[in-house]
Each structure stands twice: as C-alpha cells, then as structure tokens.
Amino acid sequence: MTEKKLPFVANTASLAMPALNRRSLLKAGGGLLAGVFVAPGAMSLGAKRAYAADAFVHQLGWIKSIQFGGHFAAIDQGYFAAEGIDAEFLAGGPGTDGTAVVVSGQAMTSDSDVEGVIRTRISGVPVKAFAAIMQKAPGAIMSLASKPIKTLADFPGKTIALPNATRPQMDVLMKAAGLDPSSVNYVPVGTDPGMLAAGQVDGYYGWATNQGVMLKTRGVDIEVAYMNDLGLPGYAGVLYATDESIDTKADLITRWLKAEIKGWQWFLDNPDAMAKLMVDKYGQRGLDLKAQTVEAGVYKDFIPVGDAATHGLLWIEPSVFQQGIEFSIKAGDLKEGQVKVEDVVTQKLIAAAHGK
C-alpha cells in the first residue's frame, strides 16, 4: 500500500524572514497612527474621546496555525484593543530569522525556547526572555507503541531522526544516564513524521502538538517521550525582546502581555471555537479543521501547567534558564561564566502584567 503523505503543519524548521509590509515600514520610519480606541472611562457628556492605538508587531516562530491561537484570540475578543494596542503577528516560515526581525526593529518581539535565547545572547545579540507560553515543551522523541522508546535506556541500538542542533543535548543526556551516545544511530529529521509510521526509523523528534497530532489523526498509535522528561530543561514559546525595548517600552509590553494572558485563557476555554477561527479567519490558508481542532485540545497539557498553574499564564522563572545555562555548559556550547541568568531573562514584565 502506498504511504499517504501527512498534512503539513509542523514546527521544526528554521524560519523565513517576511517582506516588510506597510506598517513595518511606517514603524521603522518612526511614526504610526495605527487606529483608534476609546479608553475605559473616556465617555464624557455623550462624547467619545479617541486615542491613537500603539502599534505592536510580533514575529511568529512558524506559520499562522492553532499553536498561536492565544495571540489571535486576543485580537478577536478585543483584548488588545482594550489595552490600546493595534497588534500584528507576522507569519514565520522556512528561513525566517526572528532575532534579525526583532533587532532590526521590524518587530517588537518574537518567540524561541530557552536554549535559543541563551545561544542568541552568547552570540552578542542583546535579547532577553520575559514570558513563556508553554510551561512544558512539546519537543519529544516519538516512537510506535508497538516498539516504544520510553526512557534513555531504550535508545541504544535504535535509529532516531533528530535535528543536528539537538544532537549535543542528547549526547549530554545519554552520558548523564551512563550510556554511550555512539550506540544510537541518528539520521536527519524532516517535517513529515511519515518515516516513523513507515517503520524507517525507531524514533522521531518533533513536537507532540504537531507531528504527534498528525500521527494520531492518521490512527498511528505512538509513545511520546518528552525531552523535558528525559532531562532537558526548558519552556517553549519563550517571548523575547531586545534589552532596549524591555527598558524603554516596559509599559507597552506589559499591556500587550495583559491582553495575551486573556487571549490564551480564552483559547484554553474555547479550543474548538479557536480552531475554527484559525481555519476560517486568522490562519494560513489550507489548514485542516479536524487537525487544528485535535491540536487545540492538547494545549491544556502544556500551557496552564507548571509555573503557570502557580503564578498565572505565561509565567517565567529564572531558575529554568539557570538550568539551561548549566546544560549548555555541559553540552560544550557555553563556557563557565560566559553568561549570567539575569542576562537572558527578566520577570519584571510578566509580574507587572499579573499585578505582582
């Protein structure tokens, strides 16, 4: 039987830089009146006092799909408008460099992961994390349930599709578990997990929320071993900006975060409705409603958990970045003392957004 190719909604490739749109050019030129909003309490003697809304551009880490549903919920439900913000989200794609977009001023913020922020900082680019959407990272090694890979002890002798950038991390994890990294046969990974379904590999690295959903919607029974559970520290959907923006635009970013928190909560409360909104209105053309709906339902296991369950959505803890720094040192990507935790993360904006 011919293998049917899975629909493409993956999030494992590098990202493509978008063309500058009119808003970006105006923003870069230093001025923009993006629209108006009526401030709460601005009604006086029957007259509405209008204010110019603040433009805020965010570079997404991938295509517009349900994994970014909270952003678009905040637009759809008017949460950004209530904060006096005209929010725009630029689609990512293969080849986009979110950091370059942020540093050039085309966007205020973008998203990455703990390792990505650390790696960017040690390269000399002054960016810092200020919030985290997913408290548990969905990156995982997936395997067939009939041949499960559950722990590191199951890795030796297996063939695993893995990104080259993840190999040093896996080697550290293997060594820490007293296992020989060379006992695993690693092969390049693509965005289509069909190679796992076809039995070409024993394990496949991807996001359980994307490739995992692809496999499950096809009826493929899989085992999921999350990288966090294997010992790799980190969040996913880590929001970051330049030091300058965090220092000089703190009020604007805080207001944006307030709307974001409400947007992500609305998404979590209305996953099916959000999936339909992404397919019909906000997402990339060609999204499959069934797949988007299934994926929408899994984010309850990644967003309102961990630190967010204690402190509120999008919370961020410096201790997670300290663990990331220590792990990067073990992996040989970072020298002792090369970067401090306060260089790569701040809590002040998310704390302010939660009124703490």
Side-chain angles (χ1 to χ4, degrees), residues 141-271:
I141 301 296
M142 289 166 277
S143 57
L144 297 178
S146 58
K147 297 172 56 180
I149 296 175
K150 297 182 178 181
T151 68
L152 292 169
D154 297 324
F155 278 56
K158 300 295 194 303
T159 296
I160 296 177
L162 189 78
N164 289 334
T166 309
R167 175 67 187 274
Q169 300 172 338
M170 190 59 70
D171 288 350
V172 172
L173 292 173
M174 292 286 286
K175 290 177 181 177
L179 301 168
D180 181 5
S182 66
S183 65
V184 184
N185 177 33
Y186 293 109
V187 298
V189 69
T191 55
D192 187 340
M195 60 196 309
L196 176 62
Q200 297 172 349
V201 294
D202 301 302
Y204 177 94
Y205 175 88
W207 275 28
T209 52
N210 285 340
Q211 289 92 348
V213 169
M214 287 187 199
L215 291 165
K216 290 178 180 178
T217 54
R218 283 189 60 196
V220 180
D221 193 10
I222 60 172
E223 180 74 30
V224 180
Y226 291 102
M227 296 296 286
N228 282 171
D229 295 335
L230 294 176
L232 183 67
Y235 299 121
V238 173
L239 303 173
Y240 68 88
T242 63
D243 289 355
E244 181 180 3
S245 292
I246 289 173
D247 290 340
T248 64
K249 303 288 186 180
D251 176 70
L252 175 58
I253 299 175
T254 299
R255 286 190 284 125
W256 184 79
L257 279 174
K258 288 180 179 179
E260 282 279 309
I261 291 165
K262 293 178 180 178
W264 286 101
Q265 187 61 61
W266 193 92
F267 169 33
L268 292 168
D269 292 339
N270 305 274

Side-chain angles (χ1 to χ4, degrees), residues 257-332:
L257 279 174
K258 288 180 179 179
E260 282 279 309
I261 291 165
K262 293 178 180 178
W264 286 101
Q265 187 61 61
W266 193 92
F267 169 33
L268 292 168
D269 292 339
N270 305 274
D272 293 354
M274 193 66 242
K276 193 170 190 313
L277 281 171
M278 291 307 300
V279 172
D280 294 345
K281 188 175 182 179
Y282 295 108
Q284 175 176 289
R285 292 182 62 182
L287 294 177
D288 179 75
L289 180 58
K290 178 181 178 182
Q292 293 288 286
T293 302
V294 172
E295 184 176 340
V298 306
Y299 284 104
K300 66 182 184 299
D301 297 326
F302 298 91
I303 295 173
V305 299
D307 298 325
T310 304
H311 302 288
L313 295 184
L314 279 63
W315 192 258
I316 199 165
E317 282 290 340
S319 60
V320 176
F321 284 78
Q322 183 60 49
Q323 293 168 10
I325 290 172
E326 293 168 359
F327 194 92
S328 294
I329 292 173
K330 293 178 182 177

